[in-house]
Amino acid sequence: MNCKVCPLNIDSNCFKAEMVSKIPLHFRSVFLCNNDCANNCKGESLCGKDLWVLSFIGQKDKFAMANAVNTMENLVKKGLSELLCFLFENAPYETRKKMWLRMTKEHTNQLYMFDALFEKECLAPLCNGNIEEEMHKYQNCVLFPQMAMAN
């Protein structure tokens, strides 16, 4: 998403104050943006949009679900595997499915970022040698985390 049209950018014509009102006053500055993302998108930190997605994906917030794939891309690019696992664990099924399809299509070399999730299910780290014949086990682990935890 371009910062110029982000509803969390107070300098944007698209700024939505009603979104910000969902956040306690003392945390609002973390989610708000008033720049062109030069510092956030190119640096180590996550932008307010990504923080929104991580915070509200579990509540099925429309903005969070609409931006989940972009946030996933940012987390992969920055190597933030713990946050990536958190995103997948908290996203609704359809969003998780979109993200998983993108991961397996565009980021097969970064599937190791899910090792913490796989380990919870006693699955070995996903290696190139066992991708084809074992992929269904790993996919089920990621797509159906509630069922995995019940076992």
Side-chain angles (χ1 to χ4, degrees):
M1 170 180 282
N2 184 335
C3 286
K4 294 177 183 172
V5 294
C6 181
L8 297 171
N9 184 346
I10 60 176
D11 292 336
S12 167
N13 291 334
C14 300
F15 177 68
K16 292 186 178 177
E18 64 273 8
M19 282 180 67
V20 179
S21 67
K22 292 173 74 171
I23 304 166
L25 187 58
H26 52 283
F27 289 118
R28 288 183 185 170
S29 64
V30 174
F31 292 91
L32 289 176
C33 175
N34 66 348
N35 61 33
D36 62 353
C37 260
N39 297 327
N40 290 336
C41 292
K42 293 179 183 174
E44 298 276 327
S45 64
L46 295 172
C47 75
K49 173 193 64 76
D50 293 329
L51 296 174
W52 185 279
V53 170
L54 289 165
S55 298
F56 293 102
I57 193 76
Q59 296 175 16
K60 298 182 181 179
D61 176 82
K62 289 181 183 181
F63 182 78
M65 291 189 316
N67 289 283
V69 173
N70 290 331
T71 294
M72 179 205 75
E73 291 286 344
N74 290 337
L75 296 174
V76 170
K77 181 172 36 173
K78 294 175 188 230
L80 300 171
S81 60
E82 288 180 19
L83 291 176
L84 181 67
C85 290
F86 177 86
L87 177 64
F88 270 81
E89 288 177 314
N90 289 282
Y93 172 76
E94 286 300 321
T95 305
R96 216 171 29 250
K97 183 177 174 183
K98 285 179 196 173
M99 292 187 299
W100 178 251
L101 290 174
R102 181 74 168 258
M103 280 296 297
T104 56
K105 182 179 179 186
E106 302 291 329
H107 303 290
T108 54
N109 292 337
Q110 282 90 6
L111 291 175
Y112 67 87
M113 295 180 78
F114 294 107
D115 283 352
L117 291 179
F118 301 151
E119 187 177 321
K120 287 180 185 177
E121 288 304 306
C122 299
L123 292 172
L126 189 57
C127 301
N128 290 339
N130 62 350
I131 286 180
E132 294 301 320
E133 66 261 6
E134 300 292 320
M135 184 57 97
H136 68 283
K137 294 177 187 177
Y138 296 89
Q139 179 173 313
N140 283 341
C141 176
V142 171
L143 293 181
F144 305 106
Q146 296 82 10
M147 291 181 67
M149 290 189 310
N151 292 330

